Amino acid sequence: MNAHWSFVKEVHSFNQLPDDNIPEFIFWGRSNVGKSSLINFLTKKKIAKTSRTPGRTRSMVIFEYKNLFRIIDLPGYGFSKISKEKVLQLDKLIDKYLRKRINLKKIFLLIDSRHLLKSIDKTIIDLLHQISKKEIILVFTKKDKIKSLELLKEHQLQIGNIKKDLNKIIFNTSIKESNEIILLKKFLFNSVKD
Ligand code: GDP
């Protein structure tokens, strides 16, 4: 499986993006949410660098599965002190990508299970609804960090509410267990045909 994944390139401007029709899927979330770890787990490869200095990279990193589809790894948000409303305005490349890139199929938004939806995540979801019609899938990460049964129950309750309120598909993942990530992977592969 992992031999089929490759690093394509890192892009800093819209016109550096590949010029073809291969479907693309964004992976995004707050800095430190576990995005690189999840991408590495999905691809069974140390393809995305983990624990990069938060907020440092302002570029998109592109990975590709055969010639079938791509994962676009966006820089994490929520690290710098810029106002939440300006997150996208400041990042012209992401803004343009979301508005104009026809290859984009779906957006996987990663959320830390311990913090659930922070106000910046809600802002990002609102912005995404405004500028892109693409489906947003919520991927909760680091589920293993919720230790007590009591907290886990509370957590499930809150996730149930989020699912109802936002009407989104949700995955509850941890890189310590493969079951849910396998489901996520199946969903991703099936989405290529949508
Ligand atoms: P990124 O900044 O979103 O790419 O986050 P990273 O993938 O670099 O992860 C940030 C930190 O969280 C690292 O120390 C990871 O080892 C840790 N981490 C990521 N996913 C998990 C998880 O599912 N469980 C646990 N316990 N730690 C995780």
Side-chain angles (χ1 to χ4, degrees), residues 28-41 48-55 73-74 76 110 112 114 140-145 147 173-177 181:
W28 207 16
R30 290 174 64 229
S31 298
N32 210 40
V33 71
K35 182 163 52 68
S36 309
S37 305
L38 187 73
I39 292 174
N40 287 339
F41 196 107
K49 292 178 198 135
T50 49
S51 298
R52 279 188 288 211
T53 310
D73 181 1
L74 296 190
L110 276 56
D112 191 318
R114 293 165 301 173
F140 289 89
T141 60
K142 308 187 191 182
K143 187 184 161 198
D144 61 286
K145 293 222 176 197
K147 301 277 187 219
T173 69
S174 155
I175 54 163
K176 311 248 162 168
E177 35 183 84
I181 301 187

Side-chain angles (χ1 to χ4, degrees), residues 7-18 24-28 35 39 48-49 52 56-63 70-76 88 91-101 103-104 128 131:
F7 165 77
V8 178
K9 59 167 147 173
E10 181 167 359
V11 304
H12 296 87
S13 68
F14 193 80
N15 56 17
Q16 291 174 330
L17 289 163
E24 294 174 348
F25 299 92
I26 281 184
F27 278 64
W28 207 16
K35 182 163 52 68
I39 292 174
K49 292 178 198 135
R52 279 188 288 211
R56 210 187 60 190
T57 339
R58 307 312 298 167
S59 58
M60 294 180 173
V61 180
I62 306 180
F63 307 110
R70 302 191 182 104
I71 284 180
I72 311 289
D73 181 1
L74 296 190
L88 282 178
D91 211 314
K92 299 267 189 320
L93 174 58
I94 296 179
D95 184 73
K96 191 164 179 191
Y97 181 94
L98 290 167
R99 288 175 195 273
K100 302 233 154 102
R101 183 74 171 161
N103 304 54
L104 175 62
L128 286 172
I131 66 175

Side-chain angles (χ1 to χ4, degrees), residues 149-161:
L149 202 59
E150 207 177 321
L151 280 176
L152 204 58
K153 271 189 193 158
E154 172 64 22
H155 176 254
Q156 279 164 352
L157 205 71
Q158 295 207 35
I159 295 220
N161 288 337

Side-chain angles (χ1 to χ4, degrees), residues 160-180:
N161 288 337
I162 291 170
K163 193 176 163 87
K164 226 169 28 199
D165 289 351
L166 296 180
N167 190 26
K168 305 232 176 290
I169 291 174
I170 284 179
F171 291 92
N172 276 300
T173 69
S174 155
I175 54 163
K176 311 248 162 168
E177 35 183 84
S178 56
N179 294 2
E180 189 83 358

Side-chain angles (χ1 to χ4, degrees), residues 101-162:
R101 183 74 171 161
I102 43 174
N103 304 54
L104 175 62
K105 297 296 168 209
K106 289 181 185 181
I107 299 165
F108 291 87
L109 197 66
L110 276 56
I111 311 282
D112 191 318
S113 293
R114 293 165 301 173
H115 310 306
L116 295 172
L117 286 180
K118 289 226 169 204
S119 74
I120 184 131
D121 297 315
K122 291 179 187 159
T123 304
I124 292 287
I125 292 171
D126 287 346
L127 278 164
L128 286 172
H129 285 154
Q130 281 168 36
I131 66 175
S132 166
K133 298 274 171 286
K134 301 295 149 64
E135 183 183 6
I136 304 168
I137 294 100
L138 299 182
V139 180
F140 289 89
T141 60
K142 308 187 191 182
K143 187 184 161 198
D144 61 286
K145 293 222 176 197
I146 301 174
K147 301 277 187 219
S148 82
L149 202 59
E150 207 177 321
L151 280 176
L152 204 58
K153 271 189 193 158
E154 172 64 22
H155 176 254
Q156 279 164 352
L157 205 71
Q158 295 207 35
I159 295 220
N161 288 337
I162 291 170

